[in-house]
Amino acid sequence: MSMNIQLANNQPMNAPPMSSLAALRRLNATFIHNFVTNDVVSHSAIIHPRFVCIMPDGSRMYRADYLAYWATGFDPDVITYWDYRDERIEIFGDTALVSATTCYTRRKDGVAKSGMTFYTDTYVQENGLWQCIQAQLTSLQPEYFPPDDTVIRRYHRGKLKEQV
């Protein structure tokens, strides 16, 4: 027989501390906002010095090239819609997996194309500070798209819209 022991704050005993969950939710929101606003300075502060991004095609982009891309990666005239949804956070001691899906509409040559990308960001906590050490992106096929009711934040032409 399994028992779910509750702490005084109604959290299961094996649940990660709320402060870590809240910090990682904020970091995830900042990560996305930094991309949409091309904020390299803020982004540099939340990614680890040994950061690597694994792109959907399997290629790797290391920190310096990643930050150079970050400066111009989001163009609101090209990426007219952006959201993130279906956020999940798992904490394992000083390591955390933060995953979600981004939904986008991109315009190229006057043609709009929509799609979704699933990401998993691996965070490590050192000296009380969470930093992303790896991001992995996977293009999703439509049958795996999470529903609209899981949207956390929406951006239209680079501007944050009302919280969902």
Side-chain angles (χ1 to χ4, degrees):
M1 184 166 132
S2 173
M3 291 181 64
N4 187 13
I5 300 171
Q6 301 285 319
L7 299 177
N9 64 1
N10 279 339
Q11 286 295 103
M13 192 161 110
N14 60 348
M18 288 302 289
S19 60
S20 289
L21 281 174
L24 288 160
R25 277 195 187 99
R26 275 192 312 276
L27 282 168
N28 193 40
T30 300
F31 200 108
I32 295 294
H33 193 73
N34 288 347
F35 176 62
V36 174
T37 60
N38 299 308
D39 189 339
V40 175
V41 173
S42 176
H43 203 61
S44 180
I46 67 171
I47 64 173
H48 195 276
R50 293 174 35 204
F51 176 84
V52 63
C53 180
I54 302 169
M55 303 300 284
D57 66 1
S59 64
R60 294 178 185 170
M61 189 181 303
Y62 293 93
R63 191 177 203 282
D65 291 336
Y66 182 81
L67 287 172
Y69 163 75
W70 207 260
T72 60
F74 190 95
D75 179 345
D77 293 327
V78 174
I79 304 172
T80 58
Y81 177 83
W82 185 269
D83 76 38
Y84 75 100
R85 56 184 66 200
D86 197 29
E87 179 181 73
R88 297 164 192 245
I89 298 173
E90 296 288 334
I91 300 173
F92 309 93
D94 291 336
T95 304
L97 300 176
V98 177
S99 63
T101 299
T102 59
C103 176
Y104 58 84
T105 299
R106 290 189 169 114
R107 295 191 66 75
K108 184 176 180 181
D109 300 325
V111 177
K113 181 181 178 188
S114 294
M116 291 193 190
T117 301
F118 178 79
Y119 65 87
T120 300
D121 295 338
T122 303
Y123 283 81
V124 292
Q125 187 179 46
E126 296 174 342
N127 302 315
L129 178 68
W130 287 103
Q131 286 189 304
C132 184
I133 196 162
Q134 178 178 297
Q136 184 158 357
L137 309 171
T138 304
S139 297
L140 290 182
Q141 296 301 309
E143 61 267 26
Y144 301 111
F145 287 2
D148 289 344
D149 66 356
T150 65
V151 171
I152 296 170
R153 284 194 172 161
R154 290 186 169 97
Y155 293 84
H156 292 276
R157 296 197 178 273
K159 303 290 184 207
L160 179 63
K161 294 301 172 186
E162 218 174 274
Q163 293 280 93
V164 179

